[in-house]
Amino acid sequence: MSDIKALLEVLLLAAIPLLPIIAGRLLLKRFPKTEAGAEPVPGTRAGRLIGNILFWCGILAILMILVFILNYKGVI
Amino acid sequence: MGKFLALLLLLSPAAALAGGEEQPRPPATSADAIPADGEMNMEDLAEFYDNARSGSGAPEMDIAPSRAQAIKYSAPEPKAVPSTPPPVTGGAAKASGGDEKSTGGHGVTIQVIGSAQPLAFRRGAEAAAAIRRLPAGSITSIEFYGHGAPGYQTVDPDYSLGSDEAGDLLRGKMAPGAKLQFTGCNTASIGDRMRINPAFGLSSITRRVLYFSIPYFQDRLDGRSAEEAREFWEREWNKDLAQETSLRLRGTRVCGYRTFGLVPERLPGVSHLTGRNEATSPGYVAGIKACYINGVEVEP
C-alpha cells in the first residue's frame, strides 16, 4: 500500500509540469498564426505569447527536474 | 533556433548548479583520508579502510604467478605531514596545482572581530583547524559555501558538516549577534508558508523526488520494509540544517536556503570570464533564504 502511495505521488509530481504545457498548447491552438494579409483574431498576439511562455516553461521545468535527478545520480 | 539557444542557456545553470551532492573525489592516498584535525568518525574510518585497500600508502603485495618466486613487499612510504596553508584573502583562491582539475566554487569565509579582511579557505578541514585556533567569541560572520542537501552541507569534496558538526565546531566561537550562513541548496526546510512562485514549487517538487521518492524506492529494492523506508525518508527529505544548527548555537543568526540555490557565477564559461571559478564565496544566489535565531524564524 505504501509503495502504491509513493508511486502515485511520483506520478502526480511528475505530472505537475505537464499542466503548463497542456495549457500553452491549448492557447496556441486557440490562437493560430495569422496568415499574411488576413485579419487577426482579437487577442492573438497576447494569447500566443502566453501560450508560448507556458508551453516552453513547462518543457524547461521537466528538463530541469531530469537534469537535477541525473546530476544527483551522478550521471551528469 | 532562437528557442533552442534559449533552452540551452537556461539548462546549463541547472546542470552546473544542481544541488545534489558532488561525487566525492577519492583521496589520493590513505593519508589524505585522515581529517586534518585527526578526529575520525565512522564515515572517515570506512573511507580510510577503502583507500587503504587501493591507495599508495598501503602495503603493496605483488604475488607472482609462480609460487617459486618470493612475494615482494614494499613498505608504505612515509606520510607527508599536512601543513595548514595560510588563509586566502580577497574572496577567490588560486588553483593549488596547475594541472589539477578545478572543483569549482566552494569554501569558507570567516569575518573575525578586529580584522578588516575576512579569512577565506578553499578546504573545509583547513577552515575547521583555523576556527579551533580562534579565540572564543571572535567570529562575527561565517559562510559555508558548497553543495547542500537536506540536513547537511559540503564545503569541498572531502569535507561536509551537519548541525552536530557545525554546533561542535562553532560553539563558543561566535560573537554575540553573529551570523552563520549555509550557502548550499536545501539547507533549510521548505517551510509552511504558502507561495505562488512557480520556481519555488518546482524546487520543492524536485526536492521531494530527489530526497524522498528516489531513496524510498532504492531502499525498497534493497529489501527494507515499506513502513521503515517511508518513516525514515519522510523525516530526512525536509530536514532544516539552519534551524537545527541555530538550536545548537544559541543567539547566532543561522541562515540557509529553502530551495535549490542557483549561482550565476558557477555557470560554465561565466566563472572563467569573471576569474572566479575557484571563488570561496558565491556572489549572487538565486534562491529563497530562511534565517533562525534559537530555532525561531526571523526575517532574512
Side-chain angles (χ1 to χ4, degrees):
Chain A
M1 190 60 197
S2 199
D3 288 344
I4 293 170
K5 205 173 148 187
L7 197 64
L8 282 174
E9 185 192 297
V10 176
L11 291 175
L12 197 69
L13 290 175
I16 289 172
L18 290 176
L19 297 178
I21 295 179
I22 294 166
R25 190 82 196 115
L26 287 174
L27 274 172
L28 289 173
K29 270 194 158 181
R30 170 77 183 76
F31 299 103
K33 269 184 183 166
T34 318
E35 295 293 322
E39 187 70 21
V41 181
T44 298
R45 222 177 131 84
R48 286 194 67 78
L49 180 70
I50 294 167
N52 267 314
I53 289 171
L54 286 172
F55 183 79
W56 288 107
C57 282
I59 300 264
L60 281 176
I62 290 175
L63 289 173
M64 197 171 150
I65 290 176
L66 281 177
V67 167
F68 272 103
I69 290 171
L70 291 176
N71 179 267
Y72 173 76
K73 299 294 287 176
V75 179
I76 53 172
Chain B
M1 186 61 191
K3 282 173 184 172
F4 180 66
L5 276 175
L7 191 69
L8 273 182
L9 276 173
L10 284 163
L11 263 182
S12 45
L17 310 167
E21 302 87 330
E22 208 170 63
Q23 294 302 309
R25 185 165 47 92
T29 67
S30 53
D32 293 342
I34 302 171
D37 58 5
E39 290 171 13
M40 293 184 80
N41 56 28
M42 287 307 286
E43 260 176 47
D44 293 327
L45 202 63
E47 205 174 286
F48 177 75
Y49 175 76
D50 285 341
N51 290 322
R53 228 174 11 171
S54 57
S56 58
E60 288 168 14
M61 306 278 282
D62 182 7
I63 300 170
S66 160
R67 288 200 173 268
Q69 286 179 320
I71 293 171
K72 282 191 283 180
Y73 169 75
S74 59
E77 285 174 19
K79 295 171 189 172
V81 179
S83 60
T84 307
V88 181
T89 50
K94 298 256 183 293
S96 51
D99 295 332
E100 243 180 65
K101 198 183 166 210
S102 169
T103 47
H106 59 74
V108 182
T109 308
I110 311 165
Q111 191 73 54
V112 184
I113 286 175
S115 168
Q117 281 285 321
L119 306 172
F121 300 86
R122 282 280 292 164
R123 318 288 299 178
E126 288 164 12
I131 289 166
R132 286 192 189 94
R133 286 195 301 268
L134 286 173
S138 59
I139 299 174
T140 55
S141 162
I142 181 165
E143 180 175 27
F144 293 98
Y145 169 41
H147 291 281
Y152 79 94
Q153 152 125 32
T154 64
V155 173
D156 63 62
D158 302 319
Y159 187 88
S160 63
L161 69 173
S163 57
D164 287 338
E165 290 83 5
D168 291 345
L169 181 66
L170 296 167
R171 191 168 294 118
K173 302 286 182 183
M174 305 300 277
K179 187 180 171 185
L180 162 59
Q181 172 70 54
F182 290 109
T183 305
C185 304
N186 299 310
T187 43
S189 66
I190 61 168
D192 46 18
R193 194 178 127 200
M194 187 71 103
R195 293 169 199 269
I196 53 163
N197 181 349
F200 179 81
L202 193 61
S203 172
S204 302
I205 290 173
T206 312
R207 179 173 177 154
R208 177 76 179 172
V209 172
L210 279 182
Y211 300 111
F212 175 78
S213 307
I214 292 176
Y216 171 86
F217 285 114
Q218 270 174 348
D219 271 7
R220 292 292 290 134
L221 290 174
D222 292 343
R224 204 173 187 184
S225 79
E227 287 69 29
E228 200 186 337
R230 174 170 285 278
E231 196 188 319
F232 181 79
W233 291 109
E234 282 288 7
R235 209 170 44 236
E236 292 294 310
W237 83 276
N238 199 22
K239 267 195 163 175
D240 198 319
L241 174 65
Q243 189 177 31
E244 286 172 18
T245 309
S246 76
L247 289 167
R248 284 167 175 79
L249 297 170
R250 309 297 293 185
T252 300
R253 180 190 190 87
V254 186
C255 301
Y257 282 89
R258 293 202 185 285
T259 57
F260 288 87
L262 305 181
V263 184
E265 269 185 12
R266 293 182 77 167
L267 287 172
V270 176
S271 52
H272 280 280
L273 279 174
T274 54
R276 286 178 55 83
N277 49 330
E278 301 227 325
T280 55
S281 55
Y284 175 73
V285 182
I288 293 174
K289 218 189 244 190
C291 294
Y292 299 90
I293 297 176
N294 301 340
V296 178
E297 190 170 356
V298 291
E299 279 298 307

